[in-house]
Amino acid sequence: MSKQVTPRHFIRHLAIVLVINTVIASAMTLSGRGPFAYQLVMSHAIGITTWALIDFGRLAVRRDNDSGWPSGWRAFALPAFGVLVGNLAGGKIGDTIVGGDRWAAMFMSADSVVKHVFLLGGIGALVSYFFWTTGRARHYAEALVTTRRDAAEAQLMLLQSQLEPHMLFNTLANLRALIATDPPRAQDLLDHLIAFLRSTLASSRATLHPLSAEFDRTADYLALMKVRMGDRLTTTLDLPDDLAAIPVPTLLLQPLVENAIKHGLEPHVDGGRLIVRARRERGQLVIEVRDTGAGLDAPAAHGTRFGLTHVRERLATKYGPAASMTLAPAADGDGGALATVRLPLETTP
């Protein structure tokens, strides 16, 4: 399947051709070939006609998947045709506008004809080669972006496969124990588990969802964790109404929340608080996950913090340097750690 050619391609190519035509007209004027106005009209008439024949002509022939330009022998035949007919037709158009007879001057001698053929053919070949190489470069750049996105989605599925099984097994074990000892609490736990699994399934089918959905999924996850930790875990979720509909990457908060519980609150004898909040700050969406647990200086718990690395990589792939994720000791005197995610509000998809 040939690379899709859009109106934006033609507009961009035309703008480049206009600049090249103006440069050629200036060079011809400086070399003593005539006044600038005359050279500018002739250059644009020939250049635009040649460009139109080649650029629109490629839609009628088989094109290369990598560049969108003709493949095989057509890659040489179409530019040659465009340069020849473009010079003949464009020259006539220019002569009509300025009231001259360019061709009479060009055919004054065989030497003059050879010079014009080499000059115009060389310019046409260089411009065609420029568009061909830039088309290929753009194709490979787009392919790289697609590859990175596919890799990020594959990592997301890997992250889900690593985050959920052990949490699910622990929850089912707690559920089994509660069924016999505390049926109402077991029912509540089952409701949260169903809600969590439902939102997990929905998240697996998209790469973005509203921030409110991410908070709801986090709330169900924390409800499950609270059954396991009991009074050792207190939570606060703070999402302003004006930020609820902002789309964010799926599975953005759970790795941060799980990291805070696993490495901060569970190793801490007294447990602690977990606060998740979102706010605006200088054109950015800022999401914070704050815990009052063991802190970053405590001995590392079992695990590699793969989730945090994955969050950073997904943000870098989707937003580049405009987004970030940091993990630092909390600075408010209560101990623990603070994970902060920053997304550009004006470019949030």
Side-chain angles (χ1 to χ4, degrees), residues 8-27:
R8 185 176 178 182
H9 287 81
F10 293 111
I11 294 173
R12 181 173 58 248
H13 290 175
L14 177 58
I16 294 173
V17 167
L18 293 178
V19 173
I20 293 174
N21 292 343
T22 304
V23 172
I24 293 173
S26 301

Side-chain angles (χ1 to χ4, degrees), residues 34 80-81 149 160 179 184 198 204 206 213 224 253 259 265 267 283 312 320:
F81 169 79
R149 183 177 63 248
Q160 288 177 320
I179 288 175
R198 183 183 292 115
S204 68
L224 298 175
L253 284 179
N259 180 77
L265 296 175
R312 288 192 179 97

Side-chain angles (χ1 to χ4, degrees), residues 158-168 170-171 196 200 214 217-219 221-222 224-225 228-229 233 235 237 251-267 274-276 289-291 301-308 311 327 337 339:
L158 176 61
L159 177 63
Q160 288 177 320
S161 70
Q162 291 193 0
L163 286 176
E164 290 160 8
H166 74 274
M167 182 275 296
L168 182 59
N170 289 335
T171 301
F196 177 79
T200 297
E214 189 71 5
R217 188 175 193 271
T218 301
Y221 174 78
L222 288 174
L224 298 175
M225 294 301 101
R228 189 168 79 194
M229 295 182 63
L233 174 64
T235 64
L237 298 178
L251 202 63
L252 180 66
L253 284 179
Q254 188 184 333
L256 307 182
V257 170
E258 179 163 341
N259 180 77
I261 292 176
K262 186 174 183 179
H263 297 280
L265 296 175
E266 278 192 330
L274 182 69
I275 304 169
V276 182
V289 177
R290 164 79 167 93
D291 71 79
H302 177 69
T304 61
R305 287 183 172 149
F306 168 80
L308 300 187
V311 169
L327 179 64

Side-chain angles (χ1 to χ4, degrees), residues 22 49 82 92 108 117 127 136 209 219 283 287 311 315 326 348:
T22 304
T49 304
K92 287 297 183 182
M108 288 176 57
V117 169
V127 173
R136 285 179 63 87
H209 63 180
I287 305 173
V311 169
L315 292 176
T326 59
T348 301

Side-chain angles (χ1 to χ4, degrees), residues 275-298:
I275 304 169
V276 182
R277 60 165 55 98
R279 56 186 171 85
R280 294 176 185 266
E281 183 180 289
R282 296 192 294 274
Q284 288 186 312
L285 170 64
V286 179
I287 305 173
E288 296 178 337
V289 177
R290 164 79 167 93
D291 71 79
T292 60
L296 300 182
D297 295 331

Side-chain angles (χ1 to χ4, degrees), residues 16-17 20 24 122-132:
I16 294 173
V17 167
I20 293 174
I24 293 173
I123 293 173
L126 288 173
V127 173
S128 297
Y129 180 74
F130 169 77
F131 285 139
W132 178 75

